[in-house]
Amino acid sequence: MHDQLQERHFVKLARLVEDHTGIRLPPTKRTMVEGRLRKRIRALGVPSLSDYGRVIFEGGRLADEFTHLVDCVTTNKTDFFREPEHFAFLRDKAIPLLREFRQGHGPMKFWSAAASIGAEAYTIAMVAAETVGFERNAFCVLGTDISTDVIGQARRAIYPLAFAEPIPQPMQQRYIMRAVDAGRQEMRIVPELRRMVHFQHLNLMDESYPADRDFDVIFCRNILIYFSKPTQDRVLRRLCSHLRKGGFLILGHSESLAGSDQPSMRPIAPTIFRRV
């Protein structure tokens, strides 16, 4: 069995994924892509990756398979409190400044723009609950992702118990429920916090986003590195247009606004910017 994508099929797949998601798949990613697609071909009962390429590109199955294809090739690395200094900034600087700046007008709004399975969005909610409180309409969190599969996982809010390790112990006690059956080694976010977080499918490559334009903080971390520079600029421009004046944009530690035409944004700290 020739268990590899044919060269022409990989080139088509890479072009299709970049056009639709902005994510580049150079030849060095081919082994990774093939490894992820093997689970999918087993589910479909397709004999090999070579056959899979023929089925979707020459057999008229691309439209039916496209969502699953995107779910397979997108990277969904995530943890609770990943890059913890960002959440320290949120707690100690951003939220206090926003409370003073906004003077209590409506709920404080947060957006996790590459939410994956929801760990970032729920981390934001934990920090907000600790600093803003659970009063009615005190805050809300939106989590979006291009992968419908991970959005489903985020809504369920069930994780391996090991995911709790980065969460401070007092927050674990308040916001984490452990499975009654200890053998399952699972945890779930408490319903009070789940009610504050909403998830929806969103493609950052779209020309417009179905989201409010008065977010106080937008997290867009560790996704821009997969985009070309022109795509980065377009995505950043659209994201910044959804920030209220005085709001904050937080990028990943290997990402920056350097070279981007975002005149309304001012650097506050490494990878943290404020709309002036």
Side-chain angles (χ1 to χ4, degrees):
M1 181 184 295
H2 186 58
D3 193 23
Q4 288 182 311
L5 287 170
Q6 294 184 27
E7 177 67 23
R8 71 179 189 276
H9 291 156
F10 177 77
V11 170
K12 284 185 177 181
L13 185 152
R15 185 181 302 121
L16 180 71
V17 169
E18 182 168 7
D19 288 347
H20 183 73
T21 71
I23 297 171
R24 291 170 294 169
L25 295 174
T28 54
K29 298 286 187 181
R30 181 170 175 170
T31 300
M32 179 272 287
V33 170
E34 291 175 338
R36 292 183 178 185
L37 287 175
R38 286 190 178 98
K39 182 178 179 181
R40 180 62 187 161
I41 69 171
R42 288 195 295 270
L44 290 173
V46 175
S48 70
L49 287 170
S50 181
D51 291 316
Y52 178 78
R54 283 194 291 270
V55 165
I56 63 172
F57 290 117
E58 297 158 17
R61 294 279 300 278
L62 180 59
D64 293 336
E65 183 62 15
F66 185 70
T67 297
H68 299 291
L69 181 62
V70 170
D71 287 344
C72 285
V73 302
T74 48
T75 298
N76 295 299
K77 172 71 174 74
T78 187
D79 297 294
F80 288 90
F81 286 90
R82 186 183 183 188
E83 299 178 1
E85 53 273 27
H86 286 158
F87 298 103
F89 176 87
L90 185 66
R91 178 193 65 222
D92 298 335
K93 300 287 182 64
I95 290 178
L97 283 170
L98 287 165
R99 294 179 86 169
E100 179 180 351
F101 183 77
R102 297 171 74 255
Q103 297 181 339
H105 292 301
M108 201 169 288
K109 295 182 178 180
F110 305 91
W111 181 6
S112 171
S116 184
I117 59 174
E120 179 179 88
Y122 288 123
T123 301
I124 295 168
M126 290 179 197
V127 173
E130 294 288 296
T131 50
V132 179
F134 271 126
E135 294 85 0
R136 181 175 176 80
N137 294 327
F139 72 91
C140 58
V141 181
L142 171 65
T144 63
D145 201 277
I146 193 172
S147 169
T148 55
D149 183 52
V150 298
I151 287 296
Q153 294 180 57
R155 287 173 178 150
R156 290 190 292 274
I158 298 173
Y159 303 95
L161 189 57
F163 271 47
E165 185 176 346
I167 303 173
Q169 193 62 38
M171 289 189 180
Q172 289 190 35
Q173 294 172 359
R174 284 190 282 274
Y175 306 122
I176 298 299
M177 303 181 296
R178 286 166 170 77
V180 176
D181 178 1
R184 289 173 57 187
Q185 291 292 295
E186 288 181 336
M187 68 180 208
R188 194 177 194 191
I189 305 299
V190 298
E192 296 88 348
L193 202 69
R194 295 202 306 270
R195 284 195 290 268
M196 312 298 277
V197 186
H198 170 70
F199 292 96
Q200 69 183 50
H201 175 269
L202 186 143
N203 185 352
L204 291 173
M205 290 288 286
D206 289 346
E207 289 301 315
S208 62
Y209 301 152
D212 293 341
R213 292 188 174 272
D214 58 348
F215 281 95
D216 294 286
V217 183
I218 298 176
F219 280 69
C220 185
R221 304 189 305 165
N222 307 306
I223 183 65
L224 296 176
I225 54 174
Y226 298 106
F227 296 164
S228 67
K229 187 63 171 64
T231 300
Q232 290 179 13
D233 290 344
R234 289 192 295 270
V235 168
L236 286 167
R237 190 178 310 115
R238 288 192 285 266
L239 285 173
C240 291
S241 73
H242 287 266
L243 271 177
R244 69 163 69 243
K245 291 180 180 178
F248 295 90
L249 173 68
I250 300 180
L251 305 179
H253 281 314
S254 57
E255 298 164 331
S256 173
L257 286 183
S260 298
D261 182 21
Q262 309 296 333
S264 66
M265 304 301 293
R266 295 289 181 268
I268 300 297
T271 70
I272 300 175
F273 306 85
R274 192 175 194 189
R275 185 173 182 185
V276 295

